[in-house]
């Protein structure tokens, strides 16, 4: 790939518009997550622990359907029903998509295929980005303000957590989704430099140096820092007895060497360019010859394998990669009350327990009533578990394979003919999109496992209807 091809790649969809497109894809993924979970009869509002008292309600909320409410619930206020969660997100997606597509079409018409006109039309890309930010922070009761407030309040809790408050499951989901947007956060910084006075929309012309160069890996690592802190908070909240959050924190910490060693490789490219010239450096194969690359590859493999194992074993609760498939099932009688109505009624009394108590002993949901234990030999499809919310085991096997493949899409970067970030530009965009799709898939099974741990799923994989005894599952993978 020569310089003209690189510029053409940048001209087709400039980085600021690619960032806006990936944000739109993320909104679409989240809307379809909520929609499909709703179609499955899952009361997502209860599982996610969304609470109206955490939102700034100085302005009237967006109109919502009438909610069914259980007066015996200890939450003290109505939850937003699952049926009302996805529809406003779809509306927000439509508004956002119309704005981004309109500005992109205007940009393409302005440059009319002439790359020299890109920087002269940079104001259109700037307008598109500012408009998206203005819509997010708009203080008026328009543009689905309730949903924007939910996101901003949750984001504030993630960025500026209180040591006196527990880690809510919705914040865990948001932070995990942000880890899939990590590379996009770095692209936002590069895009900002492109749109600043003196910048350029041509990737080949972007020159980050000094502290600005290190802002990219710093922003990429931010979501992992958030999840690392959340894991330590859960470990502290358990009285330092539950080791699962600690091992989870190690998983996120394993990403830091990958991020910063990757940033250091750009210095290697700069050194090669200075020594051999830009044209020769463009065709120089140095992968595998440099110590930094070998270290980066080692940490990348360790982090990817560990993260895949954690996804399957701990985030989804499947037995495939577990050392022992045997699980302890605790059944405890309890004076439960029915949950909010949505499709099939289900047990939601455990939601009145603070989230921190749900993590205190290897993810066992505790009750003060007498209990008994029995060891259940695996009676489920190979490598899965009991209960299963979805009736077809092939869904789980396909999800595991897709998760593995998408976890390792980085392998395309190791192709011997790909040597510079600019050449990988289109490929990186596809990797970022694939990562968002992997996270979209991950959310379904993560929510299912959270329901199982909270006793919202019976042994036959159905949601509980009416007051029943919740299923208590002790995760023995990290004892």
């Amino acid at each position: 790939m020569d310089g003209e091809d690189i510029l053409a790649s940048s001209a087709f969809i400039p980085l600021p518009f690619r960032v806006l497109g990936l944000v739109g894809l993320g909104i679409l993924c989240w809307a379809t997550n909520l929609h499909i979970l709703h179609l499955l009869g899952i009361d997502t509002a209860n599982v996610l622990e969304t609470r109206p008292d955490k939102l700034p309600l100085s302005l009237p909320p967006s109109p919502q359907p009438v909610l069914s409410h259980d007066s015996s619930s200890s939450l003290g206020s109505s939850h937003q029903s699952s049926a009302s969660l996805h529809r406003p997100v779809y509306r927000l997606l439509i508004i956002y998509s119309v704005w981004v597509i309109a500005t992109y079409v205007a940009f393409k018409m302005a440059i009319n295929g002439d790359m020299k006109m890109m920087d002269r039309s940079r104001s259109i890309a700037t307008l598109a980005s500012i408009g998206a930010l203005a819509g997010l922070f708009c203080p008026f009761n328009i543009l689905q303000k309730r949903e924007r407030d939910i996101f901003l309040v949750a984001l504030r809790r993630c960025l500026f957590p209180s040591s006196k408050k527990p880690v809510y499951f919705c914040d865990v989901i948001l932070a995990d989704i942000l880890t899939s947007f990590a590379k996009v956060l770095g692209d936002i910084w590069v895009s900002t430099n492109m749109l600043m006075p003196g910048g350029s929309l041509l990737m080949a012309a972007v020159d980050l140096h000094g502290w600005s160069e290190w802002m990219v890996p710093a922003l990429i690592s931010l979501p992992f820092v958030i999840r690392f802190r959340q894991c330590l908070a859960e470990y502290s909240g358990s009285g330092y007895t539950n080791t699962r959050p600690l091992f989870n924190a190690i998983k996120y910490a394993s990403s830091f060497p990958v991020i910063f060693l990757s940033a250091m490789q750009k210095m290697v490219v700069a050194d090669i360019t200075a020594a051999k010239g830009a044209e020769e450096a463009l065709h120089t194969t140095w992968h595998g010859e440099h110590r930094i690359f070998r270290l980066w590859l080692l940490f990348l493999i360790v982090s990817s394998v560990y993260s895949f194992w954690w996804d399957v074993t701990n985030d989804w609760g499947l037995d495939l990669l577990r050392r022992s498939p045997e699980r302890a099932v605790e059944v405890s009688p309890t004076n439960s009350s029915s949950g909010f109505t949505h499709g099939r009624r289900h047990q939601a009394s455990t939601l009145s327990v603070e989230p921190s108590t749900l993590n205190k002993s290897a993810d066992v949901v505790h009750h003060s009533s007498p209990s008994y234990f029995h060891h259940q030999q695996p009676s489920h499809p190979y490598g899965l578990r009991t209960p299963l919310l979805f009736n077809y085991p092939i869904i789980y096997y396909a999800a595991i394979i897709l998760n593995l493949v998408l976890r390792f899409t980085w392998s395309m970067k190791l192709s011997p003919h790909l040597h510079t970030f600019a050449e990988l530009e289109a490929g990186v965009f596809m990797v970022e999109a694939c990562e968002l799709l992997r996270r979209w898939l991950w959310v379904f099974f993560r929510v299912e496992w959270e329901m199982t741990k909270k006793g919202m799923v019976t042994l036959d994989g159905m949601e509980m209807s009416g007051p029943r005894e919740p299923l208590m599952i002790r995760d023995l993978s990290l004892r």
Side-chain angles (χ1 to χ4, degrees):
M1 180 180 289
D2 56 25
E4 289 297 325
D5 293 330
I6 293 173
L7 294 179
S9 176
S10 299
F12 181 67
I13 305 180
L15 185 61
F17 283 107
R18 292 205 298 272
V19 169
L20 293 174
L22 288 169
V23 171
L25 177 60
I27 299 174
L28 175 62
C29 288
W30 181 240
T32 52
N33 276 141
L34 296 175
H35 193 182
I36 294 174
L37 289 171
H38 165 65
L39 293 177
L40 290 171
I42 296 174
D43 194 340
T44 317
N46 279 346
V47 182
L48 293 178
E49 300 171 331
T50 54
R51 304 187 180 195
D53 59 313
K54 302 296 180 182
L55 302 176
L57 298 179
S58 57
L59 292 175
S62 304
Q64 301 293 338
V66 178
L67 305 180
S68 297
H69 179 258
D70 182 0
S71 59
S72 65
S73 171
S74 63
L75 294 180
S77 59
S78 297
H79 285 263
Q80 190 180 14
S81 72
S82 293
S84 66
L85 287 178
H86 61 273
R87 293 167 185 161
V89 182
Y90 276 130
R91 289 193 287 268
L92 188 62
L93 173 64
I94 292 173
I95 297 171
Y96 178 85
S97 300
V98 168
W99 171 255
V100 173
I101 293 174
T103 51
Y104 176 69
V105 170
F107 175 81
K108 295 297 287 185
M109 292 177 64
I111 65 173
N112 195 26
D114 186 0
M115 290 185 293
K116 297 179 181 178
M117 293 294 296
M118 286 184 60
D119 288 337
R120 296 181 184 178
S121 305
R122 203 169 34 138
S123 59
I124 300 177
T126 303
L127 178 64
S129 302
I130 293 177
L133 282 175
L136 175 61
F137 293 101
C138 178
F140 305 109
N141 193 27
I142 58 175
L143 303 175
Q144 307 302 318
K145 186 176 188 301
R146 180 181 178 84
E147 279 60 45
R148 291 187 289 110
D149 282 346
I150 290 174
F151 170 74
L152 291 174
V153 170
L155 184 62
R156 184 176 63 191
R157 285 199 302 264
C158 290
L159 292 173
F160 309 104
S162 171
S163 59
K164 299 180 180 179
K165 294 182 179 180
V167 179
Y168 297 102
F169 183 57
C170 58
D171 296 344
V172 171
I173 291 292
L174 174 59
D176 272 318
I177 291 175
L178 288 177
T179 61
S180 293
F181 272 93
K183 181 64 175 62
V184 179
L185 294 179
D187 290 342
I188 289 175
W189 178 256
V190 178
S191 298
T192 302
N193 282 271
M194 288 179 166
L195 300 176
M196 293 294 287
S200 173
L201 290 180
L202 301 175
M203 284 296 301
V206 177
D207 182 23
L208 298 179
H209 54 275
W211 67 272
S212 182
E213 183 179 5
W214 290 101
M215 278 298 297
V216 173
L219 287 173
I220 292 176
S221 64
L222 180 59
F224 299 95
V225 172
I226 293 174
R227 280 298 287 128
F228 181 78
R229 190 217 65 82
Q230 288 178 344
C231 293
L232 292 184
E234 292 176 350
Y235 179 57
S236 173
S238 70
Y240 305 100
T241 58
N242 180 12
T243 58
R244 180 184 180 276
L246 189 60
F247 281 93
N248 201 9
I250 295 174
K251 181 193 73 172
Y252 292 104
S254 69
S255 300
F256 299 141
V258 178
I259 294 170
F260 286 94
L261 285 172
S262 178
M264 292 176 66
Q265 290 184 73
K266 294 183 179 180
M267 300 178 183
V268 177
V269 176
D271 292 341
I272 295 175
T273 302
K276 300 183 178 181
E279 189 65 27
E280 186 176 350
L282 189 64
H283 300 89
T284 298
T285 301
W286 62 273
H287 288 163
E289 300 176 0
H290 201 282
R291 185 178 304 170
I292 292 179
F293 173 81
R294 291 195 289 267
L295 280 174
W296 169 78
L297 182 59
L298 172 64
F299 281 108
L300 186 60
I301 293 174
V302 170
S303 179
S304 298
V305 171
Y306 187 38
S307 297
F308 170 73
W309 172 80
W310 192 275
D311 285 343
V312 174
T313 304
N314 293 282
D315 286 345
W316 297 354
L318 304 179
D319 289 342
L320 181 63
L321 304 178
R322 213 180 289 274
R323 287 177 298 178
S324 172
E326 184 176 338
R327 305 181 62 79
V329 180
E330 174 188 359
V331 181
S332 169
T334 179
N335 297 323
S336 59
S337 60
S338 59
F340 297 101
T341 300
H342 169 60
R344 300 183 296 269
R345 292 179 63 84
H346 66 273
Q347 165 58 263
S349 63
T350 53
L351 287 176
S352 62
V353 183
E354 287 297 322
S356 59
T357 64
L358 296 176
N359 300 315
K360 280 192 175 181
S361 182
D363 292 325
V364 179
V365 184
H366 290 281
H367 290 270
S368 58
S369 52
S371 63
Y372 64 91
F373 291 88
H374 67 274
H375 287 277
Q376 176 179 299
Q377 297 298 328
S379 58
H380 48 72
Y382 175 77
L384 303 185
R385 56 170 156 75
T386 299
L388 296 176
L389 181 65
F390 303 99
N391 293 329
Y392 302 102
I394 189 63
I395 295 176
Y396 295 87
Y397 296 132
I400 292 171
I401 294 173
L402 285 174
N403 189 63
L404 176 64
V405 172
L406 295 178
R407 272 282 183 192
F408 284 86
T409 49
W410 53 264
S411 62
M412 63 170 292
K413 301 179 184 180
L414 306 182
S415 300
H417 62 283
L418 301 175
H419 311 307
T420 67
F421 176 83
E423 279 193 278
L424 281 172
E425 193 174 339
V428 168
F429 175 68
M430 293 303 299
V431 169
E432 290 172 330
C434 287
E435 171 59 19
L436 296 185
L437 295 176
R438 186 196 67 82
R439 184 61 63 183
W440 170 81
L441 182 70
W442 175 91
V443 167
F444 292 113
F445 301 100
R446 180 66 182 91
V447 170
E448 178 199 359
W449 181 232
E450 189 70 13
M451 289 176 58
T452 303
K453 290 192 296 181
K454 289 180 177 178
M456 296 181 183
V457 182
T458 60
L459 284 171
D460 59 1
M462 301 296 291
E463 279 191 275
M464 288 190 170
S465 57
R468 291 193 191 179
E469 298 174 354
L471 176 69
M472 314 302 169
I473 293 184
R474 182 184 301 273
D475 189 341
L476 300 179
S477 59
L478 292 174
R479 296 296 294 170

